Amino acid sequence: MRRFGIPVPASQLLVCADAPAPMDYPFVLKAQVMTGGRGKAGGVKVCRNEAEYRENAEKILHMEIKGHPVHGLLAEQMMQAQQEFYISITLQGVATPTLIVSRMGGMDIEQVSKDHPEEILKLELDPFTRLKAYQKKQIAEQLGVADREDLYALLEKLQTAFFDGGAMLVEINPLGLVDGKLVAMDSKFVIDDHDAAMAPVREELTADRAGLYRYREPEKEKTTITYVPLAGNVGMISDGAGTGMLTLDLLHDAGLQVASFCELGGMTSPEVMYRAMELTLQGHPEIEAVIVVLVGGFNRMDNMATGLTQYCREHQVTIPVFCRMCGTKQEEGIEIMQENGLPVFNVLTQTVAATAQAVKEG
Amino acid sequence: MSILIDKNTRVLVQGITGKSGSLQTKAMLDAGTQIVAGVTPGKGGQEVFGIPVYNYVAEAKRAHDFEAVICFVPPKVAKDSCFEAIDAGIRLLVLTTEEIAMHDVVEIIAYAKAHGTTLIGPGCAGVIIPGVCKVGAHPVRFFQKGKVGIVSKSGALSYEIGKTLSDNQIGQSGVVAIGGGPLWGFTQRDAVALYEQDPDTEVIVLLGEIGGGSEEATAAYIKQNVKKPVVSLIVGRNAPTGKSLGHAGAIVSGNVGTAATKIATLQDAGVHVVKNPVELVEMIQRLLKKEG
């Protein structure tokens, strides 16, 4: 927020509980954690004196919130707001950029929209014109603020942060009115991983986290593969998200527990198929069978068969691998599979049935 | 008559000299699509399968007439390519590119809308009218001509279900894959609206997935406006909460976007919701018998 010129309270980051008080009392300690709902979990505490600071710092630093360890503390100067508002611009769950504003700040906006829909103003933003003058006026009227120039300046900075920052969400909650001026008392910024605009900021944050918080981002898969570990004994690989989800449902309906969801993505190579088998099987001795569902459009079946059979050969895979193979270059692909003695199916439901039978017979 | 494209639709291919661009151009030509020109900056003057290549869309426009563009360019240049295509005054733009920055997608959608161009995608397989032509990546072998109109987010799922129907002698009047989201130019609801008006379509198939609210919005539209029978399969019933399974749009957060809500809303709109491909085939056979 500070980077985009949005006023925020003075703050300092702490990574240990025995640091000297970072600023004058009172201040607020906020848990630095990779999840939301920290306030409700007790991860935000006011410190009015040394004793409270020591107790809270110790407690919060050793907390786990929704399974995520707390990596540090942010000490923020306590501010007394005369009024607390809510404002955000989002692309999450909407068809077009949407600005949401409410006089009821500091609470869960979902709840406000349920209980007091009249207290919420939603405006759709055109990416080319951005906020229009009449929309700014509407926002000022909804909030009932006296200093419109201050509000308009904040709106300008907020939409710059959203559009130029490649944001999926910028949210200020609460947006406090402190001595007549607007201050972002707490905020959230969700960045689109595919956007180049914030790439340097993202790198900076990652480096900060690694250095300060003992936190490491999980290693990103370098291929187009989406791999999601679940809990079960059947590995699943597909060359499409939709067919992967369908197969997952069919396996569940057949009474099987799926160990992992692995989707290859786009136009893939033998190496990607090989990697998918690696992700699915290595370090997973619990897996008793693998189902591979391929319906190639962009994707070539000869490539898939090459990667799959190579993995099975090199790793002497003994558990059953049930592969449904059809689409682009299917004849060539099926031939490679048969040369390697791997069964090929044509109908998805039959592939699922064969997998279920094999697992149940053990 | 068919939705979105027909045998007279003339098509320009953006990114025609690329790996998937050239492969798909060949497949579209084999499917009977009239491809009149291609564009790849810097490759003007070349030919791909006998199709002339230009540096700019405007340059191609001076030599050829076309109503539709299919775009196979990399994500970083997709926005500019789409602007260029839309500026040529086309009626239909199929954007296959995945992983475009979200704010670029926002601008592409807004620009297409402002200029009256129907944008299918991003990240989509496009559209096929079996037995006629296609502007997209659908493998022809999975489809046959018939009376069922399919709309899907996922490309692969539309192939899967097309193949299942064809294996059971149920043909299709059109198959559209609109992309995995979470933002779309052309929505499930838009497709349903076109199938409702299409004289070749008797039964509509809505292939949905968990996440977002587009199935619910489509259900509301169906309840008010659609007389033809609609059958729906929602995939991802057993997906874990808070994790995306390959489609950015397919993520359940809290109670929003669950399969249960979608199924209940669709059933309330009179949609026949089925659980698997076998039930889907049975339901369509029953409905076609009633209609026929």
Side-chain angles (χ1 to χ4, degrees):
Chain A
M1 290 290 149
R2 198 174 278 138
R3 189 177 287 265
F4 289 97
I6 293 168
V8 293
S11 66
Q12 199 178 320
L13 191 64
L14 307 171
V15 286
C16 56
D18 51 4
M23 57 186 71
D24 294 341
Y25 297 103
F27 56 82
V28 187
L29 281 182
K30 294 179 172 180
Q32 299 298 288
V33 63
M34 299 307 235
T35 185
R38 61 183 178 179
K40 273 185 204 148
V44 177
K45 290 273 185 245
V46 176
C47 308
R48 289 178 203 82
N49 50 51
E50 174 84 18
E52 283 186 5
Y53 166 48
R54 294 290 161 218
E55 191 194 332
N56 290 327
E58 187 67 35
K59 206 184 276 171
I60 298 175
L61 262 181
H62 290 97
M63 269 173 86
E64 251 191 27
I65 299 178
K66 295 181 192 164
H68 296 261
V70 172
H71 300 293
L73 296 166
L74 189 73
E76 248 178 25
Q77 200 64 65
M78 178 96 160
M79 285 187 151
Q80 277 306 329
Q82 285 86 56
Q83 253 187 303
E84 290 189 346
F85 306 123
Y86 172 94
I87 189 162
S88 69
I89 309 178
T90 186
L91 258 175
Q92 295 180 323
V94 290
T96 189
T98 304
L99 183 141
I100 302 168
V101 69
S102 170
R103 277 190 305 177
M104 302 178 81
M107 4 182 169
D108 180 13
I109 194 69
E110 305 282 337
Q111 202 55 44
V112 175
S113 82
K114 261 186 218 138
D115 301 343
H116 305 278
E118 74 288 350
E119 284 292 343
I120 301 234
L121 175 69
K122 286 187 184 181
L123 298 170
E124 293 191 347
L125 305 192
D126 180 305
F128 298 109
T129 63
R130 302 195 176 180
L131 269 175
K132 297 165 186 115
Y134 79 89
Q135 291 180 314
K136 292 182 187 169
K137 249 163 61 188
Q138 278 178 290
I139 296 166
E141 279 161 24
Q142 180 78 20
L143 296 182
V145 293
D147 187 349
R148 287 200 178 190
E149 288 317 309
D150 184 51
L151 172 67
Y152 293 168
L154 181 108
L155 289 174
E156 216 40 69
K157 288 168 186 159
L158 189 71
Q159 68 172 341
T160 302
F162 176 77
F163 285 109
D164 299 347
M168 295 296 293
L169 169 76
V170 284
E171 180 181 69
I172 305 177
N173 188 26
L175 173 66
L177 191 65
V178 181
D179 303 325
K181 298 285 177 201
L182 294 167
V183 179
M185 295 173 65
D186 202 354
S187 47
K188 203 182 204 176
F189 206 124
V190 181
I191 303 171
D192 173 14
D193 282 342
H194 296 305
D195 205 296
M198 292 293 266
V201 180
R202 219 163 31 229
E203 273 165 34
E204 212 175 285
L205 284 176
T206 312
D208 278 0
R209 277 175 193 152
L212 290 175
Y213 301 165
R214 297 158 287 148
Y215 174 81
R216 253 170 240 299
E217 299 262 348
E219 203 166 311
K220 279 243 171 72
E221 176 63 34
K222 285 184 188 69
T223 63
T224 51
I225 292 174
T226 304
Y227 175 80
V228 181
L230 305 164
N233 54 3
V234 179
M236 194 222 70
I237 299 172
S238 75
D239 64 349
T243 43
M245 284 188 266
L246 172 62
T247 308
L248 188 66
D249 289 344
L250 295 177
L251 291 167
H252 269 269
D253 290 348
L256 298 179
Q257 299 298 317
V258 182
S260 53
F261 176 100
C262 184
E263 195 253 317
L264 302 169
M267 195 161 100
T268 50
S269 60
E271 292 72 34
V272 172
M273 182 69 231
Y274 187 96
R275 173 75 183 139
M277 286 293 282
E278 210 169 62
L279 281 167
T280 303
L281 286 175
Q282 277 182 17
H284 295 284
E286 73 279 13
I287 292 186
E288 292 171 27
V290 180
I291 180 168
V292 183
V293 175
L294 304 170
V295 54
F298 283 102
N299 202 13
R300 286 169 49 165
M301 292 306 110
D302 51 347
N303 285 342
M304 295 300 95
T306 304
L308 190 58
T309 53
Q310 191 193 340
Y311 184 90
C312 290
R313 226 177 18 245
E314 285 177 12
H315 294 83
Q316 295 171 358
V317 173
T318 50
I319 58 164
V321 176
F322 298 96
C323 179
R324 198 293 295 276
M325 181 173 273
C326 59
T328 309
K329 302 260 180 199
Q330 74 176 38
E331 288 76 14
E332 291 87 337
I334 291 169
E335 205 184 307
I336 297 170
M337 294 290 282
Q338 282 166 348
E339 279 167 8
N340 286 274
L342 283 171
V344 187
F345 292 79
N346 181 257
V347 176
L348 174 59
T349 45
Q350 289 169 6
T351 324
V352 171
T355 311
Q357 199 185 349
V359 171
K360 280 173 190 162
E361 285 171 2
Chain B
M1 267 298 288
S2 47
I3 72 159
L4 295 163
I5 54 170
D6 60 30
K7 65 178 183 350
N8 299 316
T9 306
R10 291 161 298 185
V11 183
L12 177 141
V13 179
Q14 281 181 312
I16 192 166
T17 57
K19 210 167 162 189
S20 47
S22 58
L23 195 78
Q24 296 298 332
T25 296
K26 177 74 170 65
M28 284 189 282
L29 287 169
D30 291 345
T33 309
Q34 282 196 51
I35 299 179
V36 298
V39 165
T40 300
K43 301 275 171 79
Q46 297 187 3
E47 279 193 0
V48 173
F49 303 110
I51 308 294
V53 180
Y54 298 87
N55 287 323
Y56 295 96
V57 177
E59 208 183 315
K61 187 82 186 167
R62 284 196 285 276
H64 308 273
D65 289 325
F66 49 88
E67 298 78 32
V69 169
I70 182 162
C71 183
F72 294 102
V73 306
K76 285 203 164 51
V77 297
K79 181 170 86 171
D80 195 51
S81 294
C82 288
F83 287 174
E84 194 189 349
I86 294 164
D87 284 344
I90 52 163
R91 181 177 58 77
L92 178 71
L93 174 58
V94 174
L95 176 56
T96 66
T97 313
E98 289 186 74
E99 305 199 334
I100 304 174
M102 212 52 87
H103 279 275
D104 285 357
V105 174
V106 166
E107 289 188 25
I108 296 166
I109 292 174
Y111 200 71
K113 201 172 170 189
H115 289 77
T117 302
T118 299
L119 169 75
I120 307 183
C124 75
V127 53
I128 181 169
I129 308 298
V132 179
C133 67
K134 62 167 187 162
V135 181
H138 292 81
V140 171
R141 68 165 88 215
F142 295 142
F143 304 95
Q144 67 184 47
K145 204 176 159 90
K147 297 169 180 169
V148 176
I150 301 178
V151 57
S152 172
K153 287 176 178 169
S154 157
L157 186 61
S158 76
Y159 313 159
E160 182 72 49
I161 297 304
K163 175 185 181 294
T164 305
L165 296 188
S166 299
D167 285 351
N168 288 278
Q169 288 77 48
I170 300 169
Q172 306 95 41
S173 54
V175 181
V176 193
I178 63 171
L183 299 178
W184 294 271
F186 183 81
T187 62
Q188 291 170 325
R189 191 192 60 191
D190 296 336
V192 168
L194 291 183
Y195 283 131
E196 173 70 3
Q197 299 301 321
D198 174 31
D200 292 347
T201 302
E202 287 182 11
V203 173
I204 302 168
V205 172
L206 171 65
L207 300 176
E209 7 183 284
I210 51 160
S214 68
E215 285 79 9
E216 289 82 342
T218 310
Y221 180 84
I222 291 169
K223 198 172 182 178
Q224 294 294 324
N225 304 288
V226 177
K227 302 266 184 306
K228 288 179 186 174
V230 182
V231 187
S232 182
L233 173 67
I234 303 293
V235 302
R237 281 183 279 123
N238 294 292
T241 306
K243 281 180 182 161
S244 154
L245 295 184
H247 275 166
I251 186 160
V252 173
S253 45
N255 290 323
V256 182
T258 64
T261 341
K262 288 178 191 292
I263 291 168
T265 318
L266 286 163
Q267 281 173 335
D268 177 60
V271 173
H272 307 277
V273 181
V274 295
K275 276 175 72 181
N276 56 52
V278 175
E279 280 186 26
L280 181 75
V281 167
E282 285 168 3
M283 178 59 75
I284 295 172
Q285 279 168 339
R286 194 160 358 128
L287 291 167
L288 283 174
K289 214 171 272 171
K290 222 177 355 183
E291 294 293 310

